[in-house]
Amino acid sequence: MEKDKSPDQKKQASHFMAFYVVALFSIALVLILLSYLTQVRADDQIANAENQLQEQVSATQGIQAKMEIIQEASNEQALRIAELEQSLAEAEKAAADLDKRSAAQSQLVKVCGLALAGETELLKAELDHLITTYTLEALDGSDPEQLIWTVEEVNLFERLRSIGAGDENTKNQ
């Protein structure tokens, strides 16, 4: 069969074969180049995704650190508020004690005025009112925890009580 072919046909067949081989190699080269470009593009996308992930992780860590700082500040503020509430309660108690002491002192001054004026019946009534209002233990110092005034005021109260009791004793005799 090859003998039937002329040299021109053989030449043409060899050119065709060479063209066919060059075309196949060209196609293979194009496919290799496309594969390389696809791989480079995929690597870039992976690198971008890694960078985005790293940024998100960094942002999350930053947020967590800020949340911890905020939580610590919140805990410190809660402790400070508790301390302030305790101080406020103590101050309110001290203010109430001062008000109670002031009122008792005012009544003691009134009793002193009655004693100076010689109003023994009113003196006795005011002393009874003081004892009823504040209890004897708080007025005479027999219970130091309940004491509402100073030692001098306690001594004055005791003298006034003896004056009120002394007048009663002289009336009974």
Side-chain angles (χ1 to χ4, degrees), residues 37-107:
L37 291 176
T38 304
Q39 184 64 38
V40 167
R41 183 173 174 219
D43 288 345
D44 287 344
Q45 287 177 345
I46 289 172
N48 286 338
E50 285 177 354
N51 287 341
Q52 288 176 350
L53 180 62
Q54 188 63 32
E55 288 172 4
Q56 289 174 350
V57 167
S58 296
T60 302
Q61 289 172 343
I63 290 170
Q64 286 175 340
K66 288 179 183 178
M67 288 295 289
E68 288 173 4
I69 291 170
I70 290 170
Q71 185 64 40
E72 287 177 21
S74 174
N75 291 343
E76 289 173 5
Q77 288 175 351
L79 288 174
R80 181 69 179 140
I81 288 171
E83 290 172 358
L84 289 173
E85 286 175 344
Q86 183 178 0
S87 296
L88 176 63
E90 290 170 359
E92 287 174 343
K93 184 183 181 312
D97 290 346
L98 283 174
D99 288 343
K100 184 177 178 180
R101 180 177 181 193
S102 175
Q105 286 173 333
S106 295
Q107 286 183 311

Side-chain angles (χ1 to χ4, degrees), residues 103-116:
Q105 286 173 333
S106 295
Q107 286 183 311
L108 186 62
V109 168
K110 182 178 178 183
V111 171
C112 285
L114 292 172
L116 289 174

Side-chain angles (χ1 to χ4, degrees), residues 128-146:
D128 288 341
H129 178 68
L130 264 172
I131 292 170
T132 304
T133 305
Y134 300 104
T135 73
L136 184 59
E137 293 80 14
L139 297 172
D140 69 2
S142 59
D143 185 0
E145 303 254 336
Q146 293 181 0

